[in-house]
Amino acid sequence: MSSTVRPPPLSSDDIEAARTSSGRLATLVRGRSHPLSLRVAGERGEDTVELPAPAAELLVEILENMAAGSAVAVLRNDTELTTQQAADFLNVSRPFLVDLLEAGTVPFRKVGTHRRVRFDDLRAYKQTTDDARRKALDELAADAQELDMGY
């Protein structure tokens, strides 16, 4: 059984701290493939923590989202989402998502009468559609440049 934990709203101090730390950390993390040593100081003293490169990049992304005042959730890749949660992630309606599922565009499984979508499958679909959109926009921009449309 899983539950949803809703963090308290971010204060303006939290947002500012996230903005500052995300910028500083991003310059140290981006493009690195080896672990990052992080010095942490608190009430119980100071210690050094070694973060794997992917974890450090995830931390930067979390801080950037917090700096924008956005809520952040961390999910395992194999987490199964309801159709409403999946639709919310893609920012589409639930009926549109169900059509994608039934067309076989995104894999799913049924638990009784309910559809469940793996988060990693949903992310792969989103990446594919985002890449296709980006490519189409690049082609439109190149065409506009070629036709000297002032863009």
Side-chain angles (χ1 to χ4, degrees), residues 29-146:
V29 170
R30 302 286 184 195
R32 292 173 65 109
S33 59
H34 53 282
L36 180 76
S37 293
L38 189 66
R39 193 176 75 220
V40 181
E43 292 177 7
R44 297 183 184 181
E46 191 174 296
D47 200 357
T48 301
V49 177
E50 192 165 294
L51 294 178
E57 287 186 25
L58 180 60
L59 181 56
V60 170
E61 189 173 339
I62 290 168
L63 290 167
E64 288 172 346
N65 279 281
M66 288 177 67
S70 299
V72 176
V74 177
L75 299 175
R76 288 178 19 175
N77 283 332
D78 62 353
T79 298
E80 289 188 325
L81 304 176
T82 66
T83 53
Q84 187 60 60
Q85 291 168 325
D88 291 345
F89 175 75
L90 293 177
N91 200 25
V92 299
S93 69
R94 196 184 75 72
F96 180 83
L97 176 83
V98 169
D99 288 345
L100 289 175
L101 300 178
E102 294 300 330
T105 307
V106 177
F108 72 98
R109 74 179 185 107
K110 278 200 163 183
V111 178
T113 59
H114 301 282
R115 297 172 191 88
R116 295 292 182 256
V117 184
R118 283 177 51 112
F119 181 63
D120 53 352
D121 291 333
L122 202 60
R123 242 187 25 199
Y125 168 78
K126 185 176 183 334
Q127 184 67 49
T128 300
T129 57
D130 288 350
D131 290 348
R133 271 192 211 100
R134 203 169 293 110
K135 182 180 177 192
L137 284 171
D138 289 345
E139 289 171 1
L140 284 171
D143 289 347
Q145 289 285 332
E146 192 174 300

